[in-house]
Amino acid sequence: EPVCSYSYDAESTEFEWTAFKFADKSGAVPGTFSDIAVESEMSEDPKEVIESISFKINTSSVETQNEDRNKKISEFFFGTINTETIEGNIKSLNDDGTAVVVVTMNGISFDVGGSYTMEDNTFSFETTIDVANWNALSGITELNKVCEDLHRKAPGEESKLWSEVTLKLKTTLGSDC
């Protein structure tokens, strides 16, 4: 059986976040970031490659397919909490399909648990975070003020931007056998 060396492949990576609005949480706003730097090691074990990943996200590169919304999120959410970058690393991949990722934002590092799969060198991770864990509710409040009418489903309804955000990551490792 050939010995293979595995490595992170940025071209295969898809990262998506989804924020929610409206009092009934029915409005989903998907997005990503266009400037994500990833470092990792090569290994003969795909799991070791994933566990070596560290990342740095430039928050001004937020991308929602709406330029006005991108600027508002960058200025009023990330700007309010004074966060130019989000940094982190994969802390552990557990045998029960759970993973822990350390995320640093607003000067606070927090362990984020989620679920993962690893099949045919394709790694997928999904979780829901609450930005309150990073003392970022002031950013939610400011962004909701600026987008008040857009976060109200019907006239007279409360304007609401939720602090919970779902995160999804999918990447396929490169291999040299």
Side-chain angles (χ1 to χ4, degrees), residues 4-84:
C4 298
S5 180
Y6 298 94
S7 60
Y8 172 77
D9 177 16
E11 295 298 317
S12 75
T13 302
E14 300 169 15
F15 174 74
E16 181 182 291
W17 54 262
T18 304
F20 300 93
K21 61 183 181 176
F22 304 145
D24 65 0
K25 207 174 186 179
S26 65
V29 178
T32 189
F33 295 92
S34 60
D35 184 1
I36 303 174
V38 174
E39 293 183 7
S40 70
E41 298 174 5
M42 292 180 67
S43 176
E44 293 177 5
D45 181 354
K47 185 177 173 184
E48 287 180 7
V49 175
I50 298 298
E51 289 180 319
S52 76
I53 288 177
S54 64
F55 59 88
K56 186 174 185 176
I57 300 169
N58 177 347
T59 61
S60 67
S61 74
V62 66
E63 181 54 66
T64 65
Q65 304 302 312
N66 179 312
E67 191 174 322
D68 186 48
R69 181 172 41 216
N70 295 348
K71 288 178 185 177
K72 287 177 181 176
I73 293 170
S74 180
E75 180 179 348
F76 294 102
F77 178 72
F78 291 114
T80 296
I81 64 170
N82 198 26
T83 297
E84 294 179 8

Side-chain angles (χ1 to χ4, degrees), residues 112-168:
V112 173
S115 60
Y116 82 94
T117 59
M118 183 78 169
E119 296 176 18
D120 298 325
N121 303 326
T122 298
F123 172 77
S124 297
F125 174 76
E126 187 169 339
T127 191
T128 298
I129 64 168
D130 187 338
V131 299
N133 292 325
W134 290 270
N135 292 338
L137 290 179
S138 61
I140 293 289
T141 300
E142 289 303 309
L143 184 57
N144 195 49
K145 281 181 192 175
V146 169
C147 301
E148 187 173 17
D149 290 338
L150 298 170
H151 295 171
R152 183 179 293 119
K153 195 172 186 178
E157 182 179 87
E158 171 192 16
S159 178
K160 177 75 174 176
L161 176 60
W162 294 82
S163 63
E164 295 87 9
V165 179
T166 61
L167 306 176
K168 294 180 183 179

